[in-house]
Structures are given as C-alpha cells and as structure tokens.
Amino acid sequence: MRAPGTPATSTAPDRPARTGTGSAPHGAGFWLVAAAFTIAMAFNAVPSPLYPIYQQRDGFATLTVTVVFAVFALGVAASLVVAGHVSDWIGRKRVLLPALGLELVADVLFLASPSLPAMIAARLLGGLGVGLITATATAHLHDLHRAHRPHAGPDRFETVSTGANLGGLAVGPLVAGALAQYVDHPLRVPYLVFGVLLLLAILAVAAAPETVEVLASRPSYRPQRVSTDHGDRTAYVAAAGAGFAAFAINGVYTALSAGFLLGVLHEPGHLLAGVAACVLMAAAVVAQTAANPLGARTRRALGLGLGAAGLVLLAVGIRSADLTVFLAAGIVAGAGSGILTKSVVGTVAAMAEPGKRGEAISGLFLFCYAGMSLPAIGVGLLSRCVSLTTAVYVFSAVLVAVLAGAALLSFRSSRASRASRA
C-alpha cells in the first residue's frame, strides 16, 4: 500500500512503467533523452563566447557579465525549488516538454532583441528551463537505463547523464565561438542554429517512453524540500558540498574567461573564447570516462584533488596573465569537476527511494547551481574593490576549504558504512 503523500511512480522499484503506445523502446528512449539533454545544455552555453561582443557594443563591465551569467543560475535554482521534483508525480515528459519550450522562447528572445534587458530575460527563462531539465532528464535517464538494462551497473547512466550535462556545456560555446568567428551576424546565427536543434530535442523527448505511472490520486503540491533525508545524511551533505564546489569552479572560470582573454590578454578571437569554455567541460567528460574503472572512493578522492589543483592553477594563470596556464587550469579543474559531478549524481541517485529520486536529484542540483551563481557574483563584486587576482585568490581559498570539508564528510560516511556492515 502506498503511504499518504508518496509520489505516484512505477509500482515496482526501479522498474518504470511500460512503454506507451507509439513511443520508442526504452533503449532508444535513453539516447533520445540524452540527446535532448545535451542540446538544452549546449544552448545555454552559447552566450559565453559572445559576451565580449555584447561588452564592446554596449560598454558594460565585467561585473555585468557575471551578473548576467548568475541570473541564469538563479533561474535554475528557482525552478528546482518550484518544480524540479514534480516529475515524480506527473511524469518525466510532462515536465521535459514544457521546459524545452522555455528554452525555445529564450532562443527567440535572443534573436528578437540583442539588448541587455532582453539578454537578462532570456538567461532567466533559460535557467528556469534548465532547472527542470537537469533534474528531470537525469531521473528519466536513470529510469530508462534500469528498464532497458535491469541487471547492469550504474556506470552507463552516470557517464551519459553527466556527459550530456557537461558535454553540452562544452559543445555550446565551441559551436557559438566558431560561428561568431567565421560567419556574419554573430549575435543571430548561433541562435538560429540552436533554435532548430531545440525543435529536434522536443521531438526526441516526445518520442521517448514515459517512465512514471501517474495514478489518479496525486499528493498535494509543495515546493521542493531542501532535505538531506535521502538514505545517508552525511553522504548526501558531502555530495552537495562537492557538487557546489564543482559547479562553482565551472561558473567562475566560464564567467571570467571571455573577459580575461579580451581585457587582460587582448585576445579578441571569439573562437578562442569558445575554446576556453570548451576545454573545461570537454576535460570533464573525458575524465568521467577515464575514471570509470576506478572504485567509487578513488574516483571521489581524485575528483577532489584535481578540483583543488585546478583552483591553484587558475589563480596562477590570472596572476601571471599566461594563456597556457589559464587553459591548463581549465583542463585540470574541468577534469576534477567532471569526476565529482559523476560521483555525486551516482551517489544520490542510488541512495534515494524510487518515488523521491527526482526530489533528491533536484535538491542536489539546487546546491550545485547555487555554487555556479553565488561565487561568480562574489568574484565580480569583489573585483570592483580589489584586483581580479586577489578576488580569484579569495574564491580559490574558500572553495578549497569546501572541497576539504566534503572530503572529510565523505570519509566519515564511508567509515560509518563499513562499521555498520561489520
């Protein structure tokens, strides 16, 4: 019997409902959802290499760029709180399709008016859509993986879900930077291309099977609960802290890269700005795959260590105004953030009850996107009072402390788990 207030999901744990009429099989649906997830994330990374064009045309400062960038992350956090968990109740596709529609509206806004207010509105809408997509697509991929390969381990799900997330963030700026460098109308053509891709993403999700069996009786709506009550509290807090730090590294590096290249190194190439953003996320995807043979504890330790090393390199690259060191920081930090993201998503998805998996993942990404927005704004504000180098030093020191705290909590959780099995 289902307890009162429990979301209506599939009747058997980790065994989603049957494929609906006219839907693709679960195996094909897994890749359709992964492709749509990748496109949505890629679209939201498109503005990164274009910020210098906006800056040159409108004359706004680096702080404005970090605020615009952070508006996106705040939109993500808002949607995670309001509706990131409701796919557990109403179905994955009923959340994914409207969310992709929000991305399409944001794309139209970018096309209709390249002004700063329109850009802020577009980034906010894009963030609202991504908050829904990130949690729901991750849960949907987990369901589809378990339905298609019920006896397989989680490696494929973890690699593909985080690969779609971070891989999309790698592809978006690279494509946008190349288009801005080599075609006319750099503030229009990238959005035309991704408008078509978003339409294809909507069709892909529409063709995928639903994995939540929606029953007649649904629980009363409530906002997302920011709760650590998902299996192992200590492990969940450790995962949230590591996710916060991983996304903070990505956020500040991406927000500052275009301005650093143009303002400090005087490198005006839009493709280079796209490459700088791309190497961070590409390293994350490659590192995830390379780390698959390692045990969970080893992966987590490696991710924490690489993240800390990347922060040190970032501070050195900013101080020395050295492009090679700056790009190396992106590679090392990206590898660390990728391994950490894969580790924390897998940990939370595995520990959560099937009926609360969307809620647990939404809560995790709420912490993650807080990491993407708050430090980026903080560095932008601090750089108005002190040098950019000092601001990055402060940011790096704080995040190294967060990584150390996550490592300590993770160690305590592992020790407690071993003790309970003894």
Side-chain angles (χ1 to χ4, degrees), residues 24-47:
H26 287 106
F30 179 86
W31 296 110
L32 288 171
V33 172
F37 193 4
T38 304
I39 290 169
M41 300 309 296
F43 163 68
N44 281 284
V46 164

Side-chain angles (χ1 to χ4, degrees), residues 57-131:
R57 191 197 61 185
D58 299 329
F60 51 75
T62 300
L63 176 59
T64 306
V65 175
T66 59
V67 170
V68 170
F69 182 84
V71 163
F72 163 74
L74 292 174
V76 175
S79 68
L80 284 170
V81 170
V82 172
H85 56 305
V86 299
S87 72
D88 286 338
W89 310 341
I90 66 174
R92 310 301 186 202
K93 292 171 65 172
R94 291 185 180 181
V95 174
L96 281 176
L97 290 172
L100 287 167
L102 283 176
E103 301 302 314
L104 196 57
V105 173
D107 184 80
V108 171
L109 270 178
F110 274 118
L111 280 170
S113 174
S115 66
L116 180 60
M119 181 166 57
I120 290 175
R123 292 302 279 161
L124 179 61
L125 284 176
L128 292 171
V130 161

Side-chain angles (χ1 to χ4, degrees), residues 253-271:
Y253 185 91
T254 304
L256 294 180
S257 60
F260 175 75
L261 293 172
L262 182 64
V264 178
L265 300 183
H266 307 293
E267 295 280 357
H270 306 304
L271 179 57

Side-chain angles (χ1 to χ4, degrees), residues 208-233:
E210 179 56 72
T211 56
V212 171
E213 182 184 349
V214 181
L215 303 180
S217 176
R218 298 181 190 173
S220 300
Y221 171 77
R222 56 170 174 76
Q224 166 72 41
R225 292 175 180 168
V226 182
S227 169
T228 60
D229 187 18
H230 296 288
D232 185 332
R233 287 179 181 272

